[in-house]
Amino acid sequence: MAEQTTTSFPPETLKFLKDLKKNNQRDWFAEHKERYEQFYLEPALGFITAMQKPLKKISPFLEAIPKRMGSSLLRIYRDTRFSNDKTPYKTHIGMQFRHEAGGNIHAPGCYLHIEPGNVFMAVGTWHPERDPLLWIRQKIAEEPKVWQKAITQKKFATHFEMAGDKLTRPPKGFDKEHPAIEEIKRKDFIAVSKFEDQDVTSDDFLKQVVERLRAGTPLMTFLCEALELSY
């Protein structure tokens, strides 16, 4: 399965996800396991496989791993241990194309989310841990113009908007009067680009994803430099 490539998803993928949302129960899922395999798992792994070559042209350090377990495809099964929502399945497809250093540090990466009415991709780093967070903030404080240029470049700004949480007050150790203090207050350094549902099933969906990931290079490069990683 992993050797096959797909550049888009069949319309039945979105139909399956809609039906799963209405019937988020183990019995229903068991009855529709064949649909899960055919319209969720197979095209997702095929898409990840198809991403391998173009991804390496953008950055040799980003990984597309098309395996059922421990791969770029996130599990459909929800962790309900600490959640009030006990529904067993995620009603979206989540794929992550991580930096090869992701296992050692909260490295920047790309996330692709396919859900009826909510299709998007994100680049950057979400909720970095204490040290990476500090290093990114320090780099913004030291090079505010470089940061501003990265997130306002035409191709980047055409496709992406910065998103995520911010502190209400300046973080400890940073000048509250710093011209980039609003950027330094960020807790997440991610940018989001939205798609329409019909993009997912169009022949050029993979091409669109690759184009937007390439447009996200300025942000990814800045963050990797802050973390002393190659990109």
Side-chain angles (χ1 to χ4, degrees):
M1 183 191 306
E3 294 179 355
Q4 299 177 357
T5 62
T6 54
T7 59
S8 63
F9 290 77
E12 291 86 354
T13 297
L14 297 178
K15 178 67 166 60
F16 171 75
L17 292 172
K18 289 178 181 178
D19 290 346
L20 177 59
K21 188 172 184 177
K22 295 176 183 176
N23 306 277
N24 200 333
Q25 300 170 354
R26 289 183 175 84
D27 289 346
W28 184 92
F29 189 82
E31 292 174 6
H32 295 263
K33 191 69 176 289
E34 187 175 338
R35 292 177 66 195
Y36 161 71
E37 293 275 345
Q38 185 176 356
F39 302 129
Y40 184 115
L41 195 59
E42 289 183 16
L45 293 178
F47 190 88
I48 292 167
T49 301
M51 280 290 292
Q52 289 179 316
K53 288 185 179 179
L55 199 65
K56 291 302 180 184
K57 291 181 180 179
I58 296 173
S59 169
F61 302 98
L62 292 179
E63 297 181 319
I65 305 171
K67 297 192 302 182
R68 285 174 174 256
M69 300 288 289
S71 73
S72 296
L73 179 62
L74 301 180
R75 286 165 51 87
I76 192 172
Y77 307 99
R78 296 184 62 251
D79 183 353
T80 61
R81 291 173 299 172
F82 309 107
S83 174
N84 292 327
D85 179 2
K86 298 301 180 182
T87 51
Y89 306 106
K90 299 172 186 173
T91 55
H92 63 268
I93 298 175
M95 289 173 275
Q96 57 181 358
F97 304 103
R98 302 177 64 186
H99 193 285
E100 65 179 20
N104 301 320
I105 192 172
H106 207 108
C110 170
Y111 171 73
L112 181 61
H113 183 102
I114 298 175
E115 178 182 12
N118 185 31
V119 183
F120 67 89
M121 68 179 293
V123 295
T125 182
W126 181 76
H127 282 14
E129 296 176 355
R130 184 184 64 179
D131 287 345
L133 176 61
L134 176 61
W135 299 334
I136 293 170
R137 285 173 171 166
Q138 287 175 336
K139 186 170 176 64
I140 294 175
E142 293 166 3
E143 303 179 18
K145 291 183 179 179
V146 177
W147 168 258
Q148 196 62 31
K149 182 179 179 181
I151 63 174
T152 58
Q153 283 193 19
K154 185 176 180 180
K155 285 186 178 181
F156 180 87
T158 297
H159 293 294
F160 289 98
E161 289 186 5
M162 295 299 295
D165 296 333
K166 275 187 175 183
L167 295 172
T168 55
R169 297 180 179 179
K172 185 178 180 180
F174 291 87
D175 181 4
K176 65 179 181 179
E177 303 299 331
H178 192 288
I181 194 60
E182 289 303 312
E183 298 298 314
I184 294 169
K185 284 161 63 175
R186 291 187 183 277
K187 296 165 66 177
D188 304 308
F189 300 90
I190 58 171
V192 173
S193 182
K194 296 183 178 180
F195 294 89
E196 300 296 332
D197 284 8
Q198 58 264 31
D199 293 330
V200 176
T201 59
S202 67
D203 291 339
D204 67 345
F205 182 51
L206 183 133
K207 183 179 178 181
Q208 291 186 55
V209 171
V210 171
E211 178 186 357
R212 297 191 193 191
L213 180 55
R214 186 175 290 113
T217 296
L219 174 63
M220 294 289 285
T221 299
F222 185 98
L223 296 175
C224 283
E225 288 179 353
L227 303 177
E228 297 186 346
L229 298 172
S230 298
Y231 187 71

